Amino acid sequence: MRIFPAIILGMIVLCPSNRLQAEDWPGWRGPRGDGSSLEQNIPTRWSQKDNIAWKVEVPGVGYASPVVLGDAVFLVTCDEKTKERILLCLDRRTGRELWRRVVIRAPLEAIHRLNSRASSTPATDGLHVYVSFLEPSGEMVPAEVVRKRSGDLRANNAGLPVHPGNMCIAAYDLKGNRKWIARPGGYASVWGYCANPVVHGESVIINGDHDGEAYIVALNRRTGKTLWKVPRKNRIRSHCTPLIRKLNGKTQMVVAGSHSIVSYDPKDGSRHWFTVGPKGRAVASPVFAGGLFFVSTAYPSKEMLALKPDGRGDVTETHIAWRTRQSAPYVPSPIAVGDYFLAVSDGGIAICLEAKTGKRQWQQRLGKGHSAAPVTAGGLVYFVSDLGVTRVVRPGPKFELIAENPLGERSYASPAISRGQIFIRGEKHLFCIGKNSK
């Protein structure tokens, strides 16, 4: 998502045991929702012309990531001339468009310069594809009016327009037939919309943090009916995609933003534990490794925290293992690889920490702006800059740059990895990197 990068997952791992190194990429940040791929032999070097299986023009504008299922690639976009929000299905072997569906036609909402009107990454459970858009009502409300309806916002956006509307979630089968469409709640934000659907069990879960009566909602993935909906206490915009993990027999769904970090039970929305603060908004998604949840949150102060998952109630003073403000990102989600935790700030400064202790191993500039969430495969981390340059880095006690790969096109979407290839969405094109897939 540009700003926002969008998730899935609910714990869907499409990885048969006899094809351990061939995974689909079924939603935001892949099959585990944390940017990791189990595949080996992923390309590390390419250019505008070299090691490109195909490159196709993508209509409209959007910063959502591609989703890969078998021989299909799903992508969302917005045609700003017709005001259509669109779901595309492409042939993963050639990039050829197989079908497109108009999800909604609606007025264009005001957005942040790093956002788009198609920033929410779709999710698939192998039967359906779930998409998420804002459906503006056409009304314009000044930001200062919205501010009065919201919680304790730290930013003053007076004078900016806000176009409130409804969250719109829809499900399509793999042939493009709409199965259902739902509007589970209102939504208003001065920076626009991004809420990535997360598939978990029989649910599609969406974070509805916004500047108003904020909520998290779970829909029945087969019918679109609301299963549960819980209010978010502090009522401020955030775009954090929930991360779900089953730990010691207890399933936890961790969400940052709204002046807190909260672990919910995705079965019914009940709360396991929470923190008071850090105060501020969140875009980056959590990750889990080595027995800790890692979260980057709290814009504008920005801070990264590691939390122990076994608490109950208020864990602010008891379960934070470490915290740091060094190179803490707002938009790009962090990533964990083995014993290391890595992140890149929005300004392009990467950091590698010892995951267990938060001790800094190295800090290195990787260019300028970064919005995309990094991904990892084969023990390497891939950082994609806003200029479309992917830097491949080996985690460890010392900085080691493996390769630097320009695409010649700006990119704000997070990459996808599937079947030995990397899919990167640029401003105008979708690139498939690696050998042609048969």
Side-chain angles (χ1 to χ4, degrees):
M1 111 243 220
R2 195 183 172 173
I3 312 201
F4 310 84
I7 148 177
I8 147 178
L9 281 235
M11 316 297 294
I12 294 178
V13 180
L14 301 174
C15 179
S17 59
N18 64 337
R19 296 188 62 187
L20 183 61
Q21 295 182 344
E23 293 188 297
D24 289 320
W25 197 266
W28 169 243
R29 305 210 78 192
R32 285 159 291 280
D34 59 3
S36 67
S37 171
L38 299 180
E39 296 196 23
Q40 302 294 322
N41 302 317
I42 299 301
T44 58
R45 299 181 186 276
W46 62 88
S47 67
Q48 299 175 43
K49 296 182 179 180
D50 297 326
N51 209 15
I52 304 295
W54 49 259
K55 168 188 172 183
V56 296
E57 186 173 355
V58 178
V61 179
Y63 298 150
S65 298
V67 165
V68 185
L69 177 70
D71 287 332
V73 178
F74 299 100
L75 205 61
V76 293
T77 190
C78 175
D79 185 326
E80 296 180 343
K81 293 182 179 179
T82 63
K83 302 179 182 179
E84 295 173 335
R85 280 55 159 197
I86 297 167
L87 170 63
L88 299 169
C89 178
L90 309 180
D91 186 329
R92 66 153 293 138
R93 295 164 296 185
T94 64
R96 180 176 65 90
E97 183 178 313
L98 299 176
W99 50 260
R100 71 170 67 187
R101 298 292 182 266
V102 175
V103 181
I104 54 172
R105 293 181 181 88
L108 301 180
E109 67 269 27
I111 55 175
H112 190 279
R113 65 181 180 85
L114 300 185
N115 201 0
S116 75
R117 298 174 180 93
S119 287
S120 303
T121 296
T124 179
D125 56 9
L127 297 174
H128 301 101
V129 181
Y130 305 95
V131 296
S132 172
F133 294 100
L134 177 66
E135 187 174 38
S137 65
E139 176 189 15
M140 192 283 285
V141 180
E144 50 267 37
V145 175
V146 173
R147 185 184 181 97
K148 292 178 182 178
R149 303 173 184 170
S150 69
D152 183 13
L153 282 169
R154 301 182 70 182
N156 182 3
N157 304 125
L160 295 177
V162 179
H163 295 95
N166 287 307
M167 173 188 287
C168 181
I169 312 299
Y172 290 80
D173 68 20
L174 303 185
K175 294 182 178 180
N177 300 305
R178 180 185 287 178
K179 308 309 290 183
W180 53 260
I181 188 166
R183 296 167 176 85
Y187 193 97
S189 170
V190 69
W191 298 141
Y193 179 81
C194 180
N196 303 307
V198 179
V199 179
H200 176 74
E202 291 299 308
S203 303
V204 179
I205 300 171
I206 307 98
N207 179 7
D209 273 345
H210 71 105
D211 298 334
E213 298 301 321
Y215 52 89
I216 295 180
V217 63
L219 307 178
N220 184 301
R221 67 184 177 94
R222 300 181 189 276
T223 67
K225 295 185 180 299
T226 298
L227 297 175
W228 56 259
K229 185 177 181 180
V230 295
R232 294 278 279 165
K233 177 180 177 181
N234 292 305
R235 309 190 322 280
I236 66 167
R237 61 184 178 270
S238 284
H239 304 275
C240 175
T241 300
L243 180 74
I244 300 175
R245 290 291 184 269
K246 188 171 184 179
L247 305 169
N248 298 321
K250 180 168 68 176
T251 303
Q252 300 195 40
M253 180 179 74
V254 173
V255 184
S258 194
H259 302 326
S260 65
I261 302 165
V262 183
S263 170
Y264 295 95
D265 186 336
K267 179 178 65 177
D268 56 14
S270 59
R271 195 168 61 177
H272 294 307
W273 52 261
F274 65 93
T275 65
V276 178
K279 192 172 183 179
R281 308 189 298 275
V283 172
S285 304
V287 296
F288 180 85
L292 296 170
F293 282 106
F294 300 96
V295 179
S296 188
T297 187
Y299 183 86
S301 58
K302 290 184 282 190
E303 186 173 16
M304 293 188 290
L305 302 90
L307 296 103
K308 293 175 281 188
D310 58 347
R312 293 187 65 85
D314 185 349
V315 300
T316 311
E317 301 298 329
T318 58
H319 281 69
I320 297 176
W322 56 260
R323 61 201 309 167
T324 181
R325 291 186 175 177
Q326 298 180 82
S327 298
Y330 175 43
V331 173
S333 300
I335 200 157
V337 184
D339 296 330
Y340 301 103
F341 173 73
L342 295 91
V344 61
S345 71
D346 302 60
I349 300 177
I351 193 168
C352 178
L353 307 174
E354 185 179 70
K356 185 177 180 179
T357 65
K359 181 181 178 181
R360 187 175 75 181
Q361 305 298 295
W362 51 259
Q363 194 171 27
Q364 179 74 31
R365 176 167 287 281
L366 295 182
K368 296 184 178 179
H370 280 68
S371 299
V375 294
T376 180
L380 303 175
V381 176
Y382 295 69
F383 294 96
V384 182
S385 76
D386 293 351
L387 291 177
V389 179
T390 301
R391 293 173 175 87
V392 185
V393 173
R394 189 185 308 278
K398 295 183 179 179
F399 177 73
E400 182 181 354
L401 180 66
I402 302 300
E404 189 170 293
N405 307 306
L407 275 181
E409 184 173 320
R410 297 184 72 88
S411 176
Y412 306 115
S414 302
I417 297 173
S418 180
R419 300 190 184 187
Q421 297 174 317
I422 304 174
F423 298 82
I424 298 180
R425 181 181 190 164
E427 271 192 316
K428 301 294 183 183
H429 298 88
L430 180 64
F431 298 81
C432 176
I433 298 164
K435 296 180 180 179
N436 279 301
S437 175
K438 301 298 183 181

